[in-house]
Amino acid sequence: MSSSDIFFSEVTGTALLILLGGGVCAAVTFKRSKAFNAGWVAIAFGWGFGVLTGGYVAQISGAHLNPAVTLALAIEGTTPWGDVPIYWVSEMLGAMIGAVLVWLVYYGQFHADLKDPEMAERRGENPGPVHGVFFTSPEIRNTWQNVVTETIATFALVIAILNLGLTKGVGVSGTGVLIVALVVVGIGLSLGGPTGYAINPARDLGPRIVHALLPLPNKGGSGWAYSWIPVVAPLLGAALAAGLHQVAFA
């Protein structure tokens, strides 16, 4: 597998992941969306379908779509350490492209919503950013709890991914991506409440950078004070999962 194979596969897959995941957040958030107020279950399944779509498209590269997964696979020995930088760059670029695509799809809604005083009041902000379409933020700002939540949620994701390899035939049958997508749905439903379950540094940081750069009206800040947690905690959770996998399952 060449560097170009990894690059184009991961860029495309991660862009689709963010397009569908960020897209469901936009669909549920915007007043002038047909899915307005559809709720958390819709968001959890939307992100799961994003993983499913991006994963199947990016199978040539192993469908990491997540720097935390890449780190775990490098620790576990499946991915060469020399390939880690190209994976990380590709995943970040793909996440940024996906966020731009969400903005293009919901362009009218972004501008109408951010100028709507009623929507600003509903969010308790004036005028209030629609930041949840792009990046995560905690319901309760408590650094240690937010770090622990993201670490545990990512641990659950990564240990499931690593242990798929212990079941013969999963890779050949192509059901591995489906299983991972369902795990993501489960994490969203069960563990997503406190922080919005980034569980993926690229998923959070890439769109956050795009939010900072886009010419959105009255968009507010990009939450940089919190931004390190959805990057560091998933990497920590992935490293812990890979370590446990090596000790207990390898």
Side-chain angles (χ1 to χ4, degrees):
M1 183 169 52
S2 67
S3 294
S4 62
D5 289 336
I6 295 171
F7 178 80
F8 288 111
S9 180
E10 290 293 314
V11 167
T12 304
T14 310
L16 287 169
L17 163 63
I18 301 302
L19 172 62
L20 297 186
V24 73
C25 290
V28 170
T29 298
F30 290 128
K31 182 179 179 181
R32 293 173 178 83
S33 162
K34 295 184 183 297
F36 176 56
N37 269 347
W40 190 250
V41 173
I43 289 174
F45 274 94
W47 277 103
F49 291 138
V51 170
L52 184 67
T53 304
Y56 275 120
V57 167
Q59 292 219 46
I60 191 173
S61 63
H64 295 192
L65 313 182
N66 182 340
V69 172
T70 299
L71 175 64
L73 291 173
I75 293 172
E76 188 253 355
T78 301
T79 297
W81 282 101
D83 288 342
V84 169
I86 187 66
Y87 272 101
W88 282 5
V89 169
S90 305
E91 290 152 0
M92 275 294 296
L93 179 59
M96 294 176 71
I97 291 171
V100 172
L101 293 176
V102 172
W103 170 63
L104 291 173
V105 170
Y106 285 91
Y107 180 85
Q109 281 76 14
F110 272 112
H111 284 261
D113 187 81
L114 289 173
K115 293 176 181 177
D116 187 338
E118 179 185 339
M119 292 298 288
E121 183 179 353
R122 183 178 70 85
R123 289 189 299 269
E125 301 159 352
N126 190 17
V130 192
H131 61 255
V133 176
F134 292 96
F135 54 86
T136 63
S137 59
E139 288 298 304
I140 297 174
R141 289 189 177 272
N142 183 309
T143 300
W144 75 263
Q145 181 197 348
N146 301 154
V147 169
V148 167
T149 298
E150 284 292 325
T151 299
I152 291 173
T154 310
F155 178 94
L157 170 66
V158 172
I159 199 67
I161 290 172
L162 294 177
N163 280 13
L164 283 176
L166 301 179
T167 304
K168 293 182 179 180
V170 169
V172 175
S173 68
T175 57
V177 175
L178 175 59
I179 293 169
V180 173
L182 292 174
V183 170
V184 171
V185 172
I187 290 171
L189 293 175
S190 301
L191 307 177
T195 60
Y197 72 114
I199 60 174
N200 181 338
R203 169 265 177 275
D204 194 89
L205 183 57
R208 195 182 296 266
I209 293 171
V210 170
H211 176 270
L213 296 175
L214 282 177
L216 296 170
N218 303 320
K219 65 181 178 180
S222 299
W224 292 111
Y226 176 78
S227 64
W228 66 273
I229 292 177
V231 174
V232 173
L235 293 174
L236 175 59
L240 291 173
L244 175 64
H245 183 266
Q246 287 291 87
V247 171
F249 301 106

